[in-house]
Amino acid sequence: MMADVQENAELDRSKFSSIKESNNASQNNNRTCQDNHQTAGLSLTQHSGDTAKLDGEEVSAVCQCGGDTTDQDGHTNNVNSKEESLAKRAANLHLDLDLAVPIDGTKQKENTRHCRSKADDSVPPPKQSWLLRLFESKMFDMSIAISYLYNSKEPGVQAYIGNKMFSFPEAEVDFYLPQLLNMYIHMGEDMADALHPYIVARCRGGINFSLQGSWLLGAFSADSKRHSRGIKLRKLILSEELRPVRTKREVLRLPSPTSPTTSPTKRTHQRSRSDFAAAMMTGPAALPSIKRSNSISKVTTGDLTTGRAFDSGCTCFDSSTGVMNDLFGKPTECVCNAPRLQPMREFINALMAIGSRLQGLATRELRTSRLYAELSLLNLNLPARVWLPCHPPQHHVVRIPHSAAVVLNSKDKAPYLIYVEVLECENANTCPVPTKILENTLRYTRSEENLQEYFNSDSPVHAFTVHPNFDQDDDCWSQDDIDLQLQYGDTQKSVSSDSVSQFSIESSTSNDSREPQYIAAADVRRRLSENLTTPPTKFKRDPEDPSAAALKEPWEDKVRRIRATSPYGHFPNWRLLSVIIKCGDDLRQELLAFQVLKQLQNIWREEHVPLWVRPYHIIVTSADNGMIEPVLNAVSLHQIKKHSQLSLFNYFLREFGDTNSEEFLTAQKNFVQSSAAYSLVSYLLQVKDRHNGNILLDMEGHVIHIDFGFILSSSPRNLGFESSPFKLTHEFVEVMGGLNGDMFKYYKILMLQGFIAARKHMDRVVQLIEIMQTGSQLPCFKNGVSTVRGLRDRFHMNLTEEQLQLYVDSMVESSMHSLTTKLYDGFQYITNGIF
């Protein structure tokens, strides 16, 4: 009997221990799940079908960490279906994840109240989510973030990445700004809610980002509904409501402009002072006529005839306090609530309006004359707190030399190129605007020969003309200079052409005691003969193509020439920039091509492939206007063949010397590396309209392709006439040394290496185009989803490297013997005169 009782007791104890171990395992599982959630900063998501009691209340919760949740009654909730759906979604994101964890940002609640015992040593430490580990790793950059942001449908993941963007460098995020804003406009409310805080914060912090954002929002919203999210956000940005937030302490620290400097209860004798001194002592409100109020700014802003078209009326940065803060490196904040974006908007609108008015003129001569007149009027309103958005914004525009501007070749539109003088500064938003320097002061005198030519002309002295005058000192002449010419006219005729010139070269700096500089006529003849024997580096001026001579002139010579005639040239922070203004052209495809070029450039640099491309910045200001960064020291193949009357190989010989010279070999290598790069770009993007006017050659021998208006699914007149993978003419092969030359073999090797490197990072290139296709009506996406599918197919991920080499060789062979390339070049020569 006792044996049976002991046996039953042992069975009860074994059952009790097994139940206790089961409870401990359940508690450890719950605590492991809870610790994992605390480590990841995540919460449990509610599930309508499963309940768990917590503090006497029923709470719907499902564990997302791969385990089962257990309530107080010991019931286990199965989450296999949830795990399977998340695992499938993770597989679509190309990650080997145990479980995709949605991130909702809510606080973690305890699962049970009695799970307080210590974990058993045999229990492994909690395993963090693979997705969260990726998001918190150092390899997680903006390129991966933009991919997850686009592919993920979980609002928690989108919100997490939206917050994560604050930790990325601003320049890295700005590169993907078109994709971010396109997703903001054309994807769901959850995407807009995730991106909205970052966009608003960046708009508050910088004027340049606000301008870029408002321009892109307007361009990408052109095809959407009238009251879309993009239009609303654009109106919010342009309303000037997104300003830097000042703390309450900073607001209390600001002095009131109407408060007296002395205490009202203490009466003391004060020395009398002028109105201006009183205004400086008591604040700007004491002298309304001196303060540039916002009401005056509203009247004058945008009116070029007032001389203050780009003036916002703000005096905070130009005041004595602002100048002192700038000298001591202290920040100055605007407290007058003057419009921040209006000056830049008016400046860009003025440049675009010039291009629109030029389109109505028939001939290039009329366009050039009108351009000079328009830029002269624009100069009356400079310097101002404006800058060129296609360059870093650390500068102020002070002058645009109108005589250096040129109208570019275009049959239907009127794009023009201007050179802009700027003064560099640390921050264009806060640094004081440079003081205007008038140009009607005597600084230089013309040479004797120019004066003789001037007086022999039939044009009246006081006649105003806007036709181009290519004299380098033309901008420096005023009415006083003309009076000096009239006084000099009678004595000028008695001087022979072989006499010795006794006129000072720099009369503005010469004193009465300085001896005149003597230049013998024989010395002049010797210098002219030397110039005739040296290899020519410039093109002659052609009225039908004025841009050829301007673009062929070396940039250093142009900078030196313009600086010598500029009233601001003596400043050490003086710089010369350039920009192309295009009106009536949609530059959104150009912007997309720039992003692809930049991404390929980074990929080839990371993979150490010596391919060379030159991405140039594109600023989209609307759906049909924009600005382009010019390529310096480069001319088109059309201009080379037209003005030099030489083949491409002979032009190389003239510019770079003999084939065995170091300069020629360097230029040849640059030609091969750039040709291979742009051949791959042309094939991957299916770039069309590749006539010689859209291919440049710089002073170092690099080939540069421009005008990416026809890419992917679009072609000129939708004919698809150019069927070759890329443009490779026999002239190109001749420069490379012929079919059997080492450099031509090097060209094919570089194409293979660049192709392999691009395949390795295919997703970084494809995602740029795939995101921009969403909701877009651009011609390059007219084929729909097949556009992106065709791009993926052109990477040929299914081919081995040996097969890819054979494919590259076949592309090179077909491009060299392409009949459509020859026919298209002939068509452009007959219709547009392009060589």
Side-chain angles (χ1 to χ4, degrees), residues 401-436:
H402 62 274
S403 61
V406 292
V407 179
L408 301 179
N409 296 327
S410 179
K411 186 176 181 180
D412 301 326
K413 306 299 188 299
Y416 63 95
L417 168 67
I418 58 174
Y419 299 95
V420 182
E421 301 179 29
V422 302
L423 293 182
E424 291 184 339
C425 58
E426 293 184 0
N427 191 336
N429 303 326
T430 59
C431 292
V433 178
T435 306
K436 186 178 184 61

CSV table of all heavy atoms in Angstrom, one decimal, residues 401-436:
chain,number,residue,atom,x,y,z
A,401,PRO,N,28.3,90.1,-67.7
A,401,PRO,CA,28.8,90.8,-68.9
A,401,PRO,C,28.0,90.5,-70.1
A,401,PRO,O,28.1,89.3,-70.7
A,401,PRO,CB,30.3,90.3,-69.0
A,401,PRO,CG,30.3,89.0,-68.2
A,401,PRO,CD,29.3,89.1,-67.1
A,402,HIS,N,27.2,91.4,-70.6
A,402,HIS,CA,26.3,91.1,-71.6
A,402,HIS,C,26.9,90.8,-73.0
A,402,HIS,O,26.5,90.0,-73.8
A,402,HIS,CB,25.3,92.2,-71.8
A,402,HIS,CG,25.9,93.5,-72.2
A,402,HIS,ND1,26.5,94.4,-71.3
A,402,HIS,CD2,26.1,94.1,-73.4
A,402,HIS,CE1,27.0,95.5,-71.9
A,402,HIS,NE2,26.8,95.3,-73.2
A,403,SER,N,28.1,91.4,-73.2
A,403,SER,CA,28.8,91.2,-74.5
A,403,SER,C,29.4,89.8,-74.6
A,403,SER,O,29.7,89.4,-75.8
A,403,SER,CB,29.8,92.3,-74.7
A,403,SER,OG,30.8,92.2,-73.7
A,404,ALA,N,29.5,89.1,-73.5
A,404,ALA,CA,30.0,87.7,-73.6
A,404,ALA,C,29.0,86.7,-73.8
A,404,ALA,O,29.3,85.5,-74.0
A,404,ALA,CB,30.8,87.4,-72.3
A,405,ALA,N,27.7,87.1,-73.7
A,405,ALA,CA,26.6,86.1,-73.9
A,405,ALA,C,26.5,85.7,-75.3
A,405,ALA,O,26.7,86.5,-76.2
A,405,ALA,CB,25.3,86.7,-73.3
A,406,VAL,N,26.0,84.5,-75.6
A,406,VAL,CA,25.8,84.0,-76.9
A,406,VAL,C,24.5,83.2,-77.0
A,406,VAL,O,24.1,82.6,-76.0
A,406,VAL,CB,27.0,83.1,-77.4
A,406,VAL,CG1,28.3,83.9,-77.6
A,406,VAL,CG2,27.2,81.9,-76.4
A,407,VAL,N,23.9,83.3,-78.2
A,407,VAL,CA,22.7,82.5,-78.4
A,407,VAL,C,23.2,81.2,-79.1
A,407,VAL,O,23.9,81.2,-80.1
A,407,VAL,CB,21.8,83.2,-79.4
A,407,VAL,CG1,20.5,82.3,-79.7
A,407,VAL,CG2,21.3,84.5,-78.8
A,408,LEU,N,22.8,80.0,-78.5
A,408,LEU,CA,23.2,78.7,-79.0
A,408,LEU,C,22.4,78.3,-80.2
A,408,LEU,O,21.4,78.8,-80.5
A,408,LEU,CB,23.1,77.7,-77.8
A,408,LEU,CG,23.9,78.0,-76.6
A,408,LEU,CD1,23.7,77.0,-75.5
A,408,LEU,CD2,25.4,78.2,-76.8
A,409,ASN,N,23.0,77.3,-80.8
A,409,ASN,CA,22.3,76.7,-82.0
A,409,ASN,C,21.1,76.0,-81.7
A,409,ASN,O,21.1,75.0,-80.9
A,409,ASN,CB,23.3,75.8,-82.8
A,409,ASN,CG,24.5,76.6,-83.3
A,409,ASN,OD1,24.4,77.8,-83.7
A,409,ASN,ND2,25.7,75.9,-83.4
A,410,SER,N,20.0,76.4,-82.2
A,410,SER,CA,18.7,75.7,-82.1
A,410,SER,C,17.8,76.2,-83.1
A,410,SER,O,17.6,77.4,-83.4
A,410,SER,CB,18.1,75.9,-80.7
A,410,SER,OG,16.9,75.2,-80.5
A,411,LYS,N,17.1,75.2,-83.8
A,411,LYS,CA,16.2,75.6,-84.9
A,411,LYS,C,14.9,76.2,-84.4
A,411,LYS,O,14.4,77.1,-84.9
A,411,LYS,CB,16.0,74.3,-85.7
A,411,LYS,CG,15.2,74.6,-87.0
A,411,LYS,CD,15.1,73.4,-87.9
A,411,LYS,CE,14.3,73.7,-89.1
A,411,LYS,NZ,14.2,72.4,-90.0
A,412,ASP,N,14.3,75.6,-83.3
A,412,ASP,CA,13.0,76.0,-82.9
A,412,ASP,C,13.1,76.9,-81.6
A,412,ASP,O,12.3,77.8,-81.5
A,412,ASP,CB,12.1,74.8,-82.6
A,412,ASP,CG,12.0,73.9,-83.9
A,412,ASP,OD1,11.9,74.5,-85.0
A,412,ASP,OD2,11.9,72.7,-83.7
A,413,LYS,N,14.0,76.5,-80.7
A,413,LYS,CA,14.1,77.2,-79.4
A,413,LYS,C,15.2,78.3,-79.5
A,413,LYS,O,15.9,78.4,-80.5
A,413,LYS,CB,14.3,76.3,-78.3
A,413,LYS,CG,13.3,75.1,-78.2
A,413,LYS,CD,11.9,75.7,-78.0
A,413,LYS,CE,10.9,74.5,-77.7
A,413,LYS,NZ,10.8,73.6,-78.8
A,414,ALA,N,15.4,79.0,-78.4
A,414,ALA,CA,16.4,80.0,-78.3
A,414,ALA,C,17.2,79.9,-77.0
A,414,ALA,O,17.2,80.8,-76.1
A,414,ALA,CB,15.8,81.4,-78.4
A,415,PRO,N,17.9,78.8,-76.8
A,415,PRO,CA,18.7,78.7,-75.6
A,415,PRO,C,19.9,79.7,-75.7
A,415,PRO,O,20.4,79.9,-76.8
A,415,PRO,CB,19.2,77.2,-75.6
A,415,PRO,CG,19.1,76.8,-77.0
A,415,PRO,CD,18.0,77.6,-77.6
A,416,TYR,N,20.3,80.2,-74.6
A,416,TYR,CA,21.5,81.1,-74.6
A,416,TYR,C,22.4,80.8,-73.4
A,416,TYR,O,22.0,80.3,-72.4
A,416,TYR,CB,21.0,82.6,-74.6
A,416,TYR,CG,20.2,83.0,-73.3
A,416,TYR,CD1,20.9,83.6,-72.3
A,416,TYR,CD2,18.9,82.8,-73.3
A,416,TYR,CE1,20.2,84.0,-71.2
A,416,TYR,CE2,18.2,83.2,-72.1
A,416,TYR,CZ,18.8,83.8,-71.1
A,416,TYR,OH,18.1,84.3,-70.0
A,417,LEU,N,23.6,81.2,-73.6
A,417,LEU,CA,24.7,81.0,-72.7
A,417,LEU,C,25.2,82.3,-72.1
A,417,LEU,O,25.5,83.2,-72.9
A,417,LEU,CB,25.9,80.2,-73.3
A,417,LEU,CG,27.2,80.1,-72.5
A,417,LEU,CD1,27.1,79.3,-71.3
A,417,LEU,CD2,28.3,79.6,-73.4
A,418,ILE,N,25.3,82.4,-70.8
A,418,ILE,CA,25.7,83.6,-70.2
A,418,ILE,C,26.9,83.3,-69.2
A,418,ILE,O,26.9,82.2,-68.7
A,418,ILE,CB,24.6,84.4,-69.4
A,418,ILE,CG1,24.0,83.5,-68.3
A,418,ILE,CG2,23.5,84.9,-70.4
A,418,ILE,CD1,23.0,84.2,-67.4
A,419,TYR,N,27.7,84.3,-69.0
A,419,TYR,CA,28.8,84.2,-68.1
A,419,TYR,C,28.5,85.2,-66.9
A,419,TYR,O,28.1,86.3,-67.2
A,419,TYR,CB,30.1,84.5,-68.7
A,419,TYR,CG,30.5,83.5,-69.8
A,419,TYR,CD1,30.2,83.8,-71.1
A,419,TYR,CD2,31.1,82.3,-69.5
A,419,TYR,CE1,30.5,82.9,-72.2
A,419,TYR,CE2,31.4,81.4,-70.5
A,419,TYR,CZ,31.1,81.7,-71.8
A,419,TYR,OH,31.4,80.8,-72.8
A,420,VAL,N,28.6,84.7,-65.7
A,420,VAL,CA,28.1,85.4,-64.6
A,420,VAL,C,29.3,85.7,-63.6
A,420,VAL,O,30.0,84.7,-63.2
A,420,VAL,CB,27.0,84.7,-63.8
A,420,VAL,CG1,26.5,85.5,-62.7
A,420,VAL,CG2,25.9,84.3,-64.8
A,421,GLU,N,29.5,86.9,-63.2
A,421,GLU,CA,30.5,87.3,-62.3
A,421,GLU,C,29.9,87.2,-60.9
A,421,GLU,O,28.8,87.7,-60.6
A,421,GLU,CB,31.0,88.7,-62.5
A,421,GLU,CG,31.7,88.9,-63.9
A,421,GLU,CD,32.1,90.3,-64.1
A,421,GLU,OE1,32.5,91.0,-63.1
A,421,GLU,OE2,32.1,90.8,-65.2
A,422,VAL,N,30.6,86.5,-60.0
A,422,VAL,CA,30.1,86.3,-58.6
A,422,VAL,C,31.2,86.6,-57.7
A,422,VAL,O,32.4,86.6,-58.0
A,422,VAL,CB,29.6,84.9,-58.4
A,422,VAL,CG1,28.5,84.5,-59.4
A,422,VAL,CG2,30.7,83.9,-58.5
A,423,LEU,N,30.9,86.9,-56.4
A,423,LEU,CA,31.8,87.1,-55.3
A,423,LEU,C,31.5,86.0,-54.3
A,423,LEU,O,30.4,85.9,-53.8
A,423,LEU,CB,31.7,88.5,-54.7
A,423,LEU,CG,32.1,89.7,-55.5
A,423,LEU,CD1,32.0,91.0,-54.7
A,423,LEU,CD2,33.5,89.5,-56.0
A,424,GLU,N,32.5,85.2,-54.0
A,424,GLU,CA,32.2,84.0,-53.2
A,424,GLU,C,32.1,84.5,-51.7
A,424,GLU,O,32.6,85.5,-51.3
A,424,GLU,CB,33.4,83.1,-53.2
A,424,GLU,CG,33.5,82.3,-54.6
A,424,GLU,CD,34.6,81.3,-54.6
A,424,GLU,OE1,35.5,81.4,-53.8
A,424,GLU,OE2,34.5,80.4,-55.4
A,425,CYS,N,31.3,83.8,-51.0
A,425,CYS,CA,31.0,84.1,-49.5
A,425,CYS,C,30.7,82.8,-48.8
A,425,CYS,O,30.6,81.7,-49.5
A,425,CYS,CB,29.9,85.0,-49.4
A,425,CYS,SG,28.3,84.5,-50.1
A,426,GLU,N,30.7,82.8,-47.5
A,426,GLU,CA,30.5,81.6,-46.7
A,426,GLU,C,29.0,81.1,-46.8
A,426,GLU,O,28.7,80.0,-46.9
A,426,GLU,CB,30.8,81.8,-45.3
A,426,GLU,CG,32.3,82.0,-45.1
A,426,GLU,CD,32.7,82.1,-43.6
A,426,GLU,OE1,31.7,82.1,-42.7
A,426,GLU,OE2,33.9,82.3,-43.3
A,427,ASN,N,28.1,82.1,-46.8
A,427,ASN,CA,26.7,81.8,-46.9
A,427,ASN,C,25.9,82.9,-47.6
A,427,ASN,O,25.9,84.0,-47.1
A,427,ASN,CB,26.1,81.6,-45.4
A,427,ASN,CG,24.7,81.0,-45.4
A,427,ASN,OD1,24.0,81.1,-46.4
A,427,ASN,ND2,24.3,80.4,-44.3
A,428,ALA,N,25.4,82.5,-48.7
A,428,ALA,CA,24.7,83.6,-49.5
A,428,ALA,C,23.5,84.1,-48.9
A,428,ALA,O,23.0,85.2,-49.2
A,428,ALA,CB,24.4,83.0,-50.9
A,429,ASN,N,22.9,83.3,-47.9
A,429,ASN,CA,21.7,83.7,-47.3
A,429,ASN,C,21.9,84.8,-46.2
A,429,ASN,O,21.0,85.6,-45.9
A,429,ASN,CB,20.9,82.5,-46.7
A,429,ASN,CG,20.6,81.5,-47.8
A,429,ASN,OD1,20.4,81.8,-48.9
A,429,ASN,ND2,20.7,80.2,-47.4
A,430,THR,N,23.0,84.7,-45.6
A,430,THR,CA,23.3,85.6,-44.4
A,430,THR,C,24.4,86.6,-44.6
A,430,THR,O,24.4,87.6,-43.9
A,430,THR,CB,23.6,84.7,-43.2
A,430,THR,OG1,24.8,83.9,-43.5
A,430,THR,CG2,22.5,83.8,-42.9
A,431,CYS,N,25.3,86.4,-45.5
A,431,CYS,CA,26.4,87.4,-45.7
A,431,CYS,C,25.9,88.6,-46.4
A,431,CYS,O,24.9,88.6,-47.2
A,431,CYS,CB,27.5,86.8,-46.6
A,431,CYS,SG,28.4,85.4,-45.8
A,432,PRO,N,26.4,89.8,-46.0
A,432,PRO,CA,26.0,91.1,-46.6
A,432,PRO,C,26.2,91.1,-48.2
A,432,PRO,O,27.1,90.5,-48.7
A,432,PRO,CB,26.8,92.1,-46.0
A,432,PRO,CG,27.3,91.5,-44.7
A,432,PRO,CD,27.4,90.0,-45.0
A,433,VAL,N,25.2,91.7,-48.9
A,433,VAL,CA,25.3,91.8,-50.3
A,433,VAL,C,26.4,92.8,-50.7
A,433,VAL,O,26.5,93.9,-50.1
A,433,VAL,CB,24.0,92.2,-50.9
A,433,VAL,CG1,24.1,92.4,-52.4
A,433,VAL,CG2,22.9,91.2,-50.5
A,434,PRO,N,27.3,92.5,-51.6
A,434,PRO,CA,28.3,93.4,-52.0
A,434,PRO,C,27.7,94.8,-52.5
A,434,PRO,O,26.6,94.8,-53.1
A,434,PRO,CB,29.1,92.7,-53.2
A,434,PRO,CG,28.8,91.3,-53.0
A,434,PRO,CD,27.4,91.2,-52.4
A,435,THR,N,28.5,95.8,-52.3
A,435,THR,CA,28.1,97.1,-52.7
A,435,THR,C,28.2,97.3,-54.2
A,435,THR,O,29.2,96.8,-54.8
A,435,THR,CB,28.9,98.2,-52.0
A,435,THR,OG1,28.9,98.0,-50.6
A,435,THR,CG2,28.4,99.6,-52.4
A,436,LYS,N,27.3,97.9,-54.9
A,436,LYS,CA,27.3,98.1,-56.3
A,436,LYS,C,28.4,99.1,-56.7
A,436,LYS,O,28.5,100.2,-56.1
A,436,LYS,CB,25.9,98.6,-56.8
A,436,LYS,CG,25.8,98.7,-58.3
A,436,LYS,CD,24.5,99.2,-58.8
A,436,LYS,CE,24.3,99.1,-60.3
A,436,LYS,NZ,24.5,97.8,-60.8
